[in-house]
Amino acid sequence: MTRAIANAAVELFERDGVAATTVDDIAAAAGISRTTFFRHCSSKEAAVLVDDAGLEAELIGVAARASAAHPRQDLEEAWEAMTAVFDADPEGHNRFLRVRRLMNHNHSLLAAGLQLEAGLSERIGAALHEQAGLTELDARAVAACFAVAMRLTFDEWVRRVDAGLTDITLRMVYREVRDAVARAADGGTR
């Protein structure tokens, strides 16, 4: 159901614009009632930002099982595996690319996406603190750095696709972003 809602919302946002599209428009295009829409999505912006692949739950689970010695590495390895799954889902892949493009041109979508990212970072940090035994500050720092790497991965992937590079995968981009973030943490570029 959430994928149908998301697909309808993307189509309408691209065609009519985010501001001109209503929840009722999205519900009608998805073939559902307004009430059903709100069972699955809290807003029209949230309709295109649905996590129908379960990435959030998976990442929080990884954080809860992370080793206290290498929590960032545990998250990075899990995220790299998830990028391969993402690359293998053409429908989700295409929709996500379209949503990221919309986010780049619409402040309300960008704000909603950043709010989701902040919430995910907070939940990952809480799991690292409570389950992996990291101090609250260390857990929050690991989660925030990880969230930035995820955002950079998606932003760089969209930039490259829009530049006409067709032989790239999210996984390839993530590996480069991970290395760039490590260089930045070491004080700059090498």
Side-chain angles (χ1 to χ4, degrees):
M1 177 65 61
T2 56
R3 190 169 275 210
I5 295 169
N7 288 340
V10 169
E11 292 290 331
L12 291 169
F13 287 174
E14 287 177 335
R15 187 186 77 203
D16 302 334
V18 176
T21 301
T22 67
V23 166
D24 290 332
D25 295 333
I26 298 168
I32 60 172
S33 71
R34 179 181 177 86
T35 302
T36 301
F37 175 92
F38 282 113
R39 276 192 210 119
H40 297 278
C41 304
S42 60
S43 68
K44 67 182 182 180
E45 291 83 7
V48 296
L49 299 171
V50 297
D51 179 15
D52 57 353
L55 295 177
E56 181 173 323
E58 180 71 23
L59 288 170
I60 292 168
V62 168
R65 296 183 306 275
S67 69
H70 304 288
R72 192 182 81 197
Q73 180 180 343
D74 293 341
L75 288 166
E76 288 173 347
E77 289 172 0
W79 178 238
E80 185 171 346
M82 289 177 203
T83 62
V85 172
F86 179 86
D87 285 330
D89 176 11
E91 182 185 346
H93 187 273
N94 182 50
R95 185 185 76 228
F96 197 84
L97 179 63
R98 293 165 67 195
V99 169
R100 293 304 284 204
R101 286 176 177 147
L102 285 165
M103 287 172 67
N104 288 339
H105 301 289
N106 183 278
H107 295 293
S108 66
L109 277 181
L110 179 59
L114 291 172
Q115 184 176 12
L116 282 176
E117 178 187 305
L120 175 59
S121 179
E122 184 178 309
R123 287 184 289 283
I124 288 172
L128 288 170
H129 173 62
E130 295 165 10
Q131 303 297 319
L134 273 65
T135 67
E136 189 172 355
L137 178 58
D138 286 346
R140 290 177 59 218
V142 168
C145 289
F146 177 71
V148 166
M150 286 178 57
R151 182 176 356 112
L152 283 172
T153 299
F154 287 124
D155 290 346
E156 181 63 12
W157 172 65
V158 171
R159 188 188 69 75
R160 290 181 186 190
V161 169
D162 287 348
L165 301 173
T166 57
D167 61 342
I168 61 165
T169 65
L170 190 66
R171 187 178 206 175
M172 290 168 42
V173 173
Y174 174 64
R175 288 176 175 168
E176 291 181 41
V177 166
R178 183 188 59 214
D179 293 344
V181 169
R183 287 191 303 272
D186 288 341
T189 58
R190 288 182 217 149

